[in-house]
Amino acid sequence: MLCEAQDPRVLAAAIRAHRDRIADVIMVGDPAQVAATASQHGLDISGIAITDPATSQARERYAQQLCHLRAKKGMTLQQAQQAIAQPLCFANLMLQMGDADGSVAGAVHTTADVVRTALQVVGANASAGSIVSSFFLMIFEHEHHPTKGGMIFSDCGLVIDPDAQQLARIALDSAKSASALLGEAPRIAMLSFSTLGSAQHVNVTKVQQATSLVRQAQPDLLIDGEVQLDAAIIPDIASRKLSDSQVHGRANVLIFPDLNAGNIGYKLAERLGGAIAVGPLLQGLNKPANDLSRGCSADDVYNVIAVTCVQAQQQQQAGADQLSSVSAGQ
């Protein structure tokens, strides 16, 4: 479900996703405006469902739900009715109420608006220690890339300076994202400028503590930390620096110690290394609601739609498995 129907990049991606049958696309917005944008850019929107917040039969139901969700913040029903007139809020309520499986926004809206609305409406996962963070699916496919395939880079877009507990949660959620999107077991590297105590600093200690917390939470995960980037991704260097490595220089999940490192790291891989960067994608929410860069291309939007579909399918499967487990125990 896409709420920035006035943007030709979003429309082009929606049409492609519909044509390729990767998603049943719902556009949220004014149908006349959508049609005008499509006509201006020569886009055929036949077959694309369009929901208008101004005329939807779900308006009152959504307003009541938003009022309920925001009651502790003092929201009145009148304020909720005004809020749902905005496509971003309406789209997130569609997701929260189960009328859509995933949401993609950010081509027009800021990351702050996208994340804030998702938190207020869709909500964060209530599990212990949960935190909403972001990741990029980085795809390496060119001849000069020594290893082909996908990697998870996190957090590169949201949490500025995570403490040890938050960094551990980011790593655990990123491992789940890797399992869902890469089709292989996660191999985590907790990145630092130090490898196993080669340097001493409070920033190194944070990564060491986070690594220990991940191991305590999930002893079966393959994880190295704290570790420098070269030892995380180059087997020969890992064999010299990490005698008891679990990842052996083949990390597919890179956890950056803060947003400075993460944001710079993914952009270096994308702009100088030629990797495809899909995201920023959000993790830690109750349902998939993903962000886009306002500088995105139609291809970027298409890729995020595809990932959102996979996340939704994984979540539905997890819910079905949980229900089956509960039924079996009764």
Side-chain angles (χ1 to χ4, degrees):
M1 176 246 310
L2 303 132
C3 66
E4 297 166 324
Q6 74 275 30
D7 191 294
R9 299 167 297 173
V10 175
L11 271 185
I15 292 166
R16 180 181 168 193
H18 173 74
R19 182 193 65 213
D20 293 348
R21 298 184 179 180
I22 68 165
D24 294 323
V25 177
I26 303 171
M27 303 297 299
V28 176
D30 180 351
Q33 187 181 45
V34 176
T37 301
S39 176
Q40 180 181 355
H41 294 275
L43 300 171
D44 180 7
I45 57 172
S46 58
I48 301 293
I50 303 173
T51 295
D52 186 356
T55 60
S56 171
Q57 294 182 353
R59 275 182 55 83
E60 189 60 29
R61 180 164 57 96
Y62 285 4
Q64 291 176 356
Q65 179 67 2
L66 181 60
C67 186
H68 170 72
L69 291 170
R70 304 293 294 160
K72 291 183 179 179
K73 297 296 182 179
M75 177 171 278
T76 66
L77 181 59
Q78 183 179 11
Q79 289 172 330
Q81 289 169 337
Q82 293 173 347
I84 66 167
Q86 301 300 317
L88 179 62
C89 182
F90 190 93
N92 276 272
L93 278 159
M94 287 187 70
L95 180 58
Q96 201 273 341
M97 296 290 282
D99 295 330
D101 297 321
S103 174
V104 175
V108 176
H109 295 88
T110 66
T111 291
D113 285 340
V114 172
V115 175
R116 180 175 60 252
T117 305
L119 282 170
Q120 291 175 350
V121 178
V122 178
N125 191 299
S127 61
S130 65
I131 179 175
V132 176
S133 60
S134 75
F135 69 95
F136 278 83
L137 171 61
M138 305 295 294
I139 301 172
F140 299 88
E141 60 179 9
H142 295 302
E143 185 177 349
H144 68 271
H145 292 145
T147 301
K148 309 295 190 294
M151 296 181 72
I152 301 295
F153 282 25
S154 187
D155 183 343
C156 303
L158 192 57
V159 184
I160 295 175
D161 188 17
D163 60 26
Q165 289 76 20
Q166 292 171 326
L167 195 60
R169 175 48 56 183
I170 290 169
L172 290 165
D173 287 345
S174 296
K176 293 179 183 177
S177 296
S179 296
L181 298 174
L182 301 183
E184 58 186 24
R187 301 181 299 276
I188 305 169
M190 305 293 286
L191 298 179
S192 173
F193 60 85
S194 169
T195 296
L196 297 186
S198 64
Q200 294 184 355
H201 189 274
V202 62
N203 290 341
V204 174
T205 302
K206 178 180 78 170
V207 179
Q208 293 170 338
Q209 292 172 342
T211 304
S212 295
L213 290 170
V214 172
R215 286 175 173 149
Q216 292 170 22
Q218 272 189 253
D220 57 326
L221 278 178
L222 300 178
I223 182 170
D224 282 345
E226 86 289 6
V227 61
Q228 292 167 305
L229 177 64
D230 53 0
I233 62 173
I234 301 176
D236 286 347
I237 295 177
S239 66
R240 294 196 297 270
K241 289 188 175 183
L242 292 163
S243 58
D244 59 348
S245 173
Q246 296 182 353
V247 174
H248 304 292
R250 302 184 187 279
N252 57 11
V253 179
L254 301 184
I255 304 300
F256 294 87
D258 59 37
L259 193 57
N260 277 320
N263 193 268
I264 293 167
Y266 101 79
K267 287 185 177 179
L268 278 172
E270 178 186 26
R271 301 302 181 181
L272 293 183
I276 297 172
V278 181
L281 304 159
L282 300 182
Q283 53 190 9
L285 290 167
N286 284 324
K287 295 183 179 181
N290 284 317
D291 188 24
L292 295 163
S293 166
R294 281 179 289 172
C296 64
S297 66
D299 285 344
D300 294 330
V301 182
Y302 177 86
N303 288 335
V304 174
I305 292 171
V307 170
T308 304
C309 290
V310 174
Q311 289 177 316
Q313 292 166 353
Q314 290 286 328
Q315 188 173 71
Q316 290 167 0
Q317 184 60 52
D321 291 345
Q322 186 177 25
L323 182 61
S324 176
S325 177
V326 170
S327 300
Q330 292 178 343

